[in-house]
Amino acid sequence: MTFRGVLFDKDGTLLDFNRTWLPIYRLAVQEFAPGDPALAASLLSEQGYDPVSGRIAGGSLLAAGNNRQIAQFWAARTGRGDELDELARRLNDLFVELGPLHATAVDGLAATVETLGRHGYRLGVATADSQRGIVSTLQAFGVLSRFDFLAGYDSGHGVKPEAGMVLAFCRQTGLTPEQVVVVGDNRHDIEMGRNANAGLCVGVLTGTSTRADLEPIADLVLENIGGLPAALGH
């Protein structure tokens, strides 16, 4: 099979997850627990943050959930479920506002995207962040123009691990799922690729998952996206 497209997850794949999202989550949770640091700490730890290691667990809500799912849990936990729509909008706004301040690219981001583009691959981003969040967190790294397709959880293509984002990428680029490589740091990224019958599903270790998490379901696990061009024969 000749692969002609690569669909990347964003956080943990193109961006270093913990360095980007831990400071953002710590600030955003204050919206749900103002003046209550103990509650704020609980909202983080209950959904994947380990204060001892300072990391977020793979597959947890904070690692794999979309913005609305995070807002839904925090709203319910603080007795503000009736404010969910407004709180979800506020969380999206905060992530867009804070993203450029904390976004940290993985090593080799620009070089990898440039190499793949030069070899004719159609490139896309599929994320649990919002569509606006893609732009706000990636715009500083000079890579956005290389992507043919950008999809957030709110772009109308469904959410991970559903197949919708992969299939929408195929529709926009004229590729078949078998021609697409899906790359991500979490099981839900790999499951999205599987559900869409993507030709190759690649895990990376720059996010919240370990090799042991990803090897059972991915075709290939790389340390980071910098190894992708060589894995594809370039």
Side-chain angles (χ1 to χ4, degrees):
M1 172 57 65
T2 299
F3 301 115
R4 296 179 54 203
V6 182
L7 184 63
F8 293 97
D9 167 57
K10 177 169 72 74
D11 301 304
T13 303
L14 302 178
L15 300 178
D16 181 292
F17 191 95
N18 279 281
R19 292 173 68 186
T20 298
W21 282 97
L22 272 178
I24 293 175
Y25 282 147
R26 286 173 176 147
L27 291 168
V29 76
Q30 303 302 321
E31 186 75 16
F32 293 78
D36 192 338
L39 176 58
S42 292
L43 294 178
L44 294 175
S45 64
E46 289 171 8
Q47 290 302 319
Y49 174 61
D50 179 1
V52 176
S53 67
R55 298 188 65 82
I56 293 172
S60 66
L61 182 67
L62 294 180
N66 63 55
N67 299 1
R68 186 174 179 86
Q69 290 168 335
I70 294 169
Q72 186 172 23
F73 174 82
W74 283 351
R77 178 69 170 76
T78 55
R80 301 171 66 186
D82 58 341
E83 303 174 54
L84 175 58
D85 288 344
E86 177 57 34
L87 290 170
R89 282 193 294 270
R90 178 59 180 150
L91 198 63
N92 274 343
D93 290 344
L94 281 169
F95 288 170
V96 169
E97 174 186 337
L98 297 171
L101 304 179
H102 300 284
T104 303
V106 299
D107 291 342
L109 169 61
T112 300
V113 170
E114 176 66 25
T115 298
L116 293 172
R118 191 170 64 248
H119 283 92
Y121 289 90
R122 306 296 296 273
L123 305 179
V125 177
T127 180
D129 196 3
S130 67
Q131 179 100 20
R132 289 191 300 147
I134 300 172
V135 176
S136 75
T137 52
L138 291 181
Q139 62 186 351
F141 305 112
V143 296
L144 277 173
S145 63
R146 277 293 189 183
F147 291 102
D148 304 287
F149 174 84
L150 304 175
Y153 83 96
D154 56 352
S155 298
H157 307 306
V159 297
K160 299 177 184 181
E162 298 168 6
M165 293 184 188
V166 180
L167 299 180
F169 175 61
C170 291
R171 288 194 297 272
Q172 184 154 321
T173 58
L175 302 179
T176 65
E178 293 78 13
Q179 294 174 309
V180 174
V181 180
V182 171
V183 186
D185 73 300
N186 245 293
R187 290 182 64 93
H188 71 168
D189 302 310
I190 307 303
E191 290 165 355
M192 174 183 69
R194 295 288 184 220
N195 288 335
N197 295 315
L200 187 70
C201 296
V202 179
V204 291
L205 302 179
T206 41
T208 58
S209 299
T210 65
R211 186 175 293 276
D213 293 328
L214 296 173
E215 280 188 336
I217 59 169
D219 297 307
L220 176 68
V221 178
L222 302 172
E223 290 295 324
N224 55 56
I225 60 169
L228 189 61
L232 296 176
H234 306 293

